[in-house]
Amino acid sequence: MLNDINYIQRCFDIARLGSGSVSPNPLVGAVIVHKNKIIGEGYHAYFGGPHAEVNAIASVKDKDLLSHSTIYVSLEPCHHHGKTPPCVDALLRNKFKNVVISVTDPNPKVMGKSIKKLRAHQVSVKTHVLEAQGKQVTSFFLTTFLKKRPYIILKYAKSSNNMIGAVDRQIWITNPYTKRLVHKWRGEVGAIMVGTNTALIDNPQLNNRLYFGNSPLRVVLDRQLKLNVNSNLLSDGLPSLVITERPDFPTNNGKCEYLKLPFDNNLIENVLSNLHNKGLDSLIVEGGAGLLNSFIEKNLWDEARVLTGNNPITVDNAIPAPVLEGQIVQSLQLGDNRLEQIFNQQSTDS
């Protein structure tokens, strides 16, 4: 059992190498073991490309060993034809006798069908190995299927005295190391959201400039279209989605799209539904306290990444940071900043 855990953990490690490149598909890693030695491994590297199992099989030099090997996979192999053929057929074709899986696939096109097919062909299948960790690796994908909305990450920085900023000015809290980390996070998600005040005061770019990978879709709530057309979010040529209540919004221009929605009690749910329909599996909410609290009050968040700086904010109009109830799963010191990763164990559907 110890070896199973080690090899499944390796699946998780390599699966994460596809972060930001496989959406809306899941992150998946696969490891092939022969006589307690890894002879091949692979991960799903980009959307539309070969899946993890196929890449792992291709990496094995001596294909005669496959029928005497065990393949470990972080997610149940696919059962259906999509961009690529079913991976379960590749396992059968290469005559694996043992398959170890962490998480079963909730996609109705799979949902245990591959496991059943393997067992029908006398393949030994072990499931649910490190399942809780496996679900975290595939959390974007699982949330999309089970909750019909993107996986929601609240991200904010607060001062040493628990202030998030000031009413009328930008106050920088984090250091260059955590700034680069934030850009890495941006490259791993589908969308990032801010509210009107943050967009007006900070004029953010919300793109990924400091790390490898893509930039997310920028989503800004601008009820009365206060944002200047020359602001970074509207003029830099990268994709943005502006949510407004005004009927006289500009014609969609280049990469900037406008969507009219009522700014009522269902606004957040309607935005999430729209992002889900666009195939976006993840969202960072990087707005001010008002926007963050609107998600917290509805219990619409899955994870929070909270950065705490080393200095206080002592201006008269300082804004208190949001208050979260959740499980702190990681706490790291990054220079003079501290990062806490918090999971919401009671997150709700949109």
Side-chain angles (χ1 to χ4, degrees):
M1 184 62 181
L2 178 61
N3 283 340
D4 287 347
I5 290 174
N6 290 340
Y7 295 135
I8 284 290
Q9 183 63 62
R10 176 60 182 169
C11 290
F12 299 159
D13 293 342
I14 61 176
R16 293 187 178 96
L17 296 174
S19 293
S21 300
V22 302
S23 176
N25 285 352
L27 297 173
V28 184
V31 170
I32 298 173
V33 177
H34 178 260
K35 293 184 178 180
N36 294 318
K37 179 181 179 181
I38 294 177
I39 61 170
E41 58 184 28
Y43 65 98
H44 186 30
Y46 60 92
F47 177 70
H51 288 186
E53 300 92 327
V54 174
N55 284 330
I57 291 169
S59 74
V60 176
K61 294 181 179 179
D62 185 357
K63 298 296 191 289
D64 291 336
L65 297 179
L66 295 176
S67 61
H68 305 285
S69 301
T70 298
I71 185 167
Y72 294 80
V73 192
S74 59
L75 183 69
E76 179 182 2
C78 64
H79 188 270
H80 57 293
H81 283 271
K83 297 280 186 182
T84 61
C87 288
V88 65
D89 291 347
L91 301 192
L92 292 173
R93 188 166 55 251
N94 286 280
K95 301 180 181 180
F96 285 97
K97 296 296 189 296
N98 298 286
V99 179
V100 180
I101 298 168
S102 176
V103 179
T104 55
D105 192 333
N107 185 338
K109 296 179 179 179
V110 187
M111 202 178 288
K113 294 177 182 176
S114 291
I115 294 171
K116 184 177 180 180
K117 186 171 184 177
L118 289 167
R119 287 173 173 164
H121 286 79
Q122 288 72 54
V123 178
S124 173
V125 183
K126 183 183 293 186
T127 60
H128 310 301
V129 178
L130 293 182
E131 184 177 29
Q133 292 183 40
K135 286 182 176 180
Q136 284 302 321
V137 174
T138 54
S139 56
F140 293 2
F141 177 74
L142 295 177
T143 300
T144 297
F145 269 98
L146 300 177
K147 299 186 177 182
K148 308 303 180 187
R149 63 161 173 81
Y151 185 86
I152 301 167
I153 302 167
L154 307 183
K155 176 267 167 184
Y156 59 93
K158 63 178 183 175
S159 63
S160 60
N161 60 338
N162 291 317
M163 297 294 165
I164 197 173
V167 171
D168 57 354
R169 74 192 79 170
Q170 181 182 34
I171 298 179
W172 200 259
I173 296 173
T174 56
N175 63 38
Y177 303 106
T178 52
K179 182 178 181 181
R180 176 166 290 193
L181 177 61
V182 167
H183 282 238
K184 177 179 182 293
W185 294 341
R186 291 176 182 176
E188 296 171 345
V189 299
I192 186 169
M193 178 187 289
V194 294
T196 308
N197 289 339
T198 298
L200 288 172
I201 294 172
D202 295 352
N203 190 24
Q205 298 180 63
L206 300 183
N207 57 14
N208 175 18
R209 305 181 301 280
L210 302 178
Y211 207 79
F212 307 99
N214 302 317
S215 290
L217 172 70
R218 288 91 54 89
V219 182
V220 56
L221 303 182
D222 190 4
R223 183 174 189 173
Q224 296 300 327
L225 294 178
K226 294 181 179 179
L227 199 57
N228 191 291
V229 293
N230 294 318
S231 65
N232 288 321
L233 293 178
L234 303 186
S235 66
D236 65 4
L238 293 175
S240 290
L241 174 64
V242 180
I243 311 296
T244 183
E245 199 172 55
R246 292 267 297 267
D248 56 336
F249 57 82
T251 302
N252 293 342
N253 183 14
K255 297 285 188 175
C256 189
E257 176 186 354
Y258 289 82
L259 176 65
K260 182 179 180 294
L261 289 175
F263 275 58
D264 56 17
N265 191 51
N266 295 318
L267 174 63
I268 298 300
E269 289 88 345
N270 287 334
V271 172
L272 294 176
S273 178
N274 182 270
L275 296 179
H276 175 73
N277 291 337
K278 287 178 175 291
L280 297 170
D281 63 3
S282 48
L283 170 70
I284 289 179
V285 181
E286 197 172 295
L291 182 60
L292 289 163
N293 282 322
S294 68
F295 278 83
I296 295 169
E297 288 165 6
K298 289 179 173 288
N299 202 30
L300 280 170
W301 62 283
D302 300 291
E303 178 185 337
R305 300 172 185 176
V306 182
L307 296 160
T308 302
N310 198 40
N311 298 313
I313 295 177
T314 57
V315 297
D316 292 337
N317 57 2
I319 302 171
V323 177
L324 291 171
E325 293 184 5
Q327 179 188 9
I328 299 176
V329 296
Q330 182 175 229
S331 183
L332 296 174
Q333 195 68 32
L334 303 170
D336 60 354
N337 290 172
R338 187 176 74 253
L339 165 65
E340 288 183 333
Q341 184 182 20
I342 304 169
F343 287 156
N344 181 4
Q345 297 175 307
Q346 299 177 336
S347 62
T348 62
D349 301 352
S350 62

